[in-house]
Amino acid sequence: MIIIMKTDATDEQINHVVEKLKKHGFGIHLSKGTERTVVGAIGDKSAIELESIQLLPGVSEIVPIRKPFKIVSREFQSEDSQIKIKDKIFVGSKAPLLVIAGPCSVESREQIFEIAESVKKSGASGLRGGAFKPRTSPYSFQGMGEEGLKLLREAGDKTGLPVVTEALDTRTVALVAQYADVIQIGARNMQNFELLKEVGKIDKPVLLKRGMSATIEELLMSAEYIVSEGNRNVILCERGLRTICKYTRNTLDLSAVPVIKKLSHLPVIVDPSHATGVWDYVIPMSRAAVAAGCDGLIIEVHNNPEEALSDGSQSLKPETFAELMRQIELVAKAVGRKV
Ligand code: PEP
Ligand code: MN
């Protein structure tokens, strides 16, 4: 349930409510908005007489949250979350679009540096690159591991771009967090609950990708796993679903953008690269995603897609990425956003 405090409630009154709820075993998640403070209380409602909370000074109303996801829900927080990356870049409805670009995998120093410089020049706001790769076949390239993380970090520092990379399992979260500014949880791991809990304990933003067969409710429940551990900095990512359509790798569920925005206050970005699997469709779907109201994009870019060790067929060449940036700027303007 959430306890909505009166607009003029004092800190002392808020603390009193919090202490009382804690005493009855509730987990507390405070949300101090510009208008009002909301106390989220997760626990067994039968453990307390609701009347006794309603009567406390400063309390305006008590609202039960019937949805299975609580802290990430709109009921809990009506204002959109604006998430900070590296204390300087904001992601969310009030911020410019976050455009993360880079190769599927870090492959070499030359490769990541060349791509980083080029996407930076075109106006990207983040650099991506996998070092631990979730490959369908155990015989495919699995990523460079820590060496890849180091190269990505160096390329990020050189260009001033924050870096995004995937943590595949609980054992490597701490290692990945040492190098990354944003930790990606991939589609295949969206319901790896131990991993979600682990990234919920760190203080870096998490990019949580929707599973290829996951419902929106399941995605939001996974986000709830992260935020309920204390890390509120979750960015959701729609990356396409497995359907009957065979001309694309997945089917981009664009309606997920407005649906998630209705249900949750968390920012949503779109990955048209994995959603289509074909480089030629990446620009049109990027335009569509921006028009649908997403808060950013994550795009695979490679300096030599033909030779890429993973996902070459969906990777844009640097010059095509520059064209993408020009095109989405026009769409962004039309829907009142900046790039
Ligand atoms: C990736 O970003 O390279 C990736 C593996 O994405 P997903 O988890 O969405 O398949
Ligand atoms: Mn990829």
Side-chain angles (χ1 to χ4, degrees), residues 104 128 133-134 166 184 186-188 209 239 274 300:
C104 179
R128 63 154 288 149
K133 295 304 300 177
E166 179 164 350
Q184 177 173 320
R188 290 156 192 82
K209 299 186 95 176
R239 48 76 75 206
H274 292 86
E300 286 188 341

Side-chain angles (χ1 to χ4, degrees), residues 297-317:
L297 298 167
I298 178 163
I299 309 284
E300 286 188 341
V301 178
H302 201 285
N303 50 348
N304 186 4
E306 270 175 42
E307 301 288 321
L309 296 180
S310 61
D311 287 350
S313 61
Q314 65 198 34
S315 299
L316 299 185
K317 290 184 178 157

